[in-house]
Amino acid sequence: MSTTPPVLAAELAGAWADIQRHHPELPDLAAPESLIGESSSACGHELSFERLLHEAVHGIAAARGIRDTSRAGRYHNRRFLAIAEELGLDHPEEPHPSSGFSLVTLNSEAKQRYRQTIERLHRALKAHTVATAADTKRSFRGPAARHGSSGGGVRVKAVCDCGRNVRVVPSVLAQAPIMCGGCGKPFRIPEVVGAAVG
């Protein structure tokens, strides 16, 4: 499988089209390649099918003329949540103080409905990550990279099956598992990419 951004962009466009089959009012995705390598702390996770579905919520809100966020797009309100539920996304009962209902997760029905699409996108993202990592090993990234530091970056929520969570830069989690001191299992970034719009 080719791992060039255009191939990943095509997989993203295909996944978006699959969402449109179930939700015809969803506008077209103008530039799928703009999502590659971009993370969003407001969304709470990096690129994955779950994040694509999150972006689709915003697309449908825009098509309906609904203001689904405030605070410069960071706070996702109950109107966002209502559309998210239509698309198969769940959220804990209480909103996050700064991002509202942005941290949505796929429900079991949506996982089943989009299973094949999720698998295809996961494979494309994984191949792209491997190819990108190989490219950056030959590039100068400064003292933080040479000394094994994360060098900063957007931190996302990684969870453990026992319910604990930590904020971590995804590239750090990709280097080696971070084990939970409570139950001994590894922390993971929720859904699809598992360590891999808003």
Side-chain angles (χ1 to χ4, degrees):
M1 175 190 297
S2 173
T3 56
T4 60
V7 171
L8 180 52
E11 290 291 349
L12 287 165
W16 191 265
D18 192 20
I19 299 168
Q20 285 179 310
R21 279 191 282 280
H22 296 280
H23 303 280
E25 68 184 303
L26 177 63
D28 291 338
L29 182 60
E33 58 278 351
S34 69
L35 296 173
I36 299 170
E38 176 188 319
S39 63
S40 170
S41 57
C43 296
H45 44 74
E46 286 198 344
L47 188 53
S48 65
F49 183 80
E50 192 169 74
R51 172 146 173 240
L52 205 60
L53 206 55
H54 176 123
E55 291 301 323
V57 173
H58 292 303
I60 288 176
R64 294 178 182 174
I66 294 171
R67 186 173 175 183
D68 62 342
T69 63
S70 58
R71 302 180 197 168
R74 289 187 309 273
Y75 191 87
H76 294 58
N77 60 35
R78 290 191 183 276
R79 291 181 292 273
F80 170 87
L81 181 58
I83 299 170
E85 289 171 348
E86 288 178 40
L87 270 66
L89 293 165
D90 287 335
H91 189 280
E93 214 167 293
E94 295 301 316
H96 186 274
S98 61
S99 61
F101 294 101
S102 70
L103 301 178
V104 288
T105 56
L106 282 168
N107 67 28
S108 56
E109 184 180 318
K111 285 179 186 177
Q112 184 58 35
R113 177 186 312 132
Y114 295 111
R115 185 177 55 80
Q116 291 179 340
T117 302
I118 290 168
E119 289 170 1
R120 279 194 313 272
L121 184 58
H122 175 72
R123 284 193 299 271
L125 284 164
K126 188 174 179 181
H128 178 72
T129 301
V130 168
T132 306
D135 288 344
T136 58
K137 285 179 184 172
R138 293 190 300 262
S139 304
F140 178 74
R141 292 178 292 154
R146 288 198 311 272
H147 296 292
S149 166
S150 69
V154 176
R155 285 170 169 70
V156 298
K157 184 166 122 177
V159 299
C160 176
D161 292 337
C162 73
R164 299 178 74 214
N165 65 70
V166 296
R167 303 293 289 181
V168 63
V169 176
S171 61
V172 171
L173 192 59
Q175 292 171 11
I178 297 174
M179 307 307 285
C180 175
C183 70
K185 293 184 179 176
F187 284 94
R188 61 181 173 74
I189 296 173
E191 207 39 47
V192 188
V193 178
V197 167

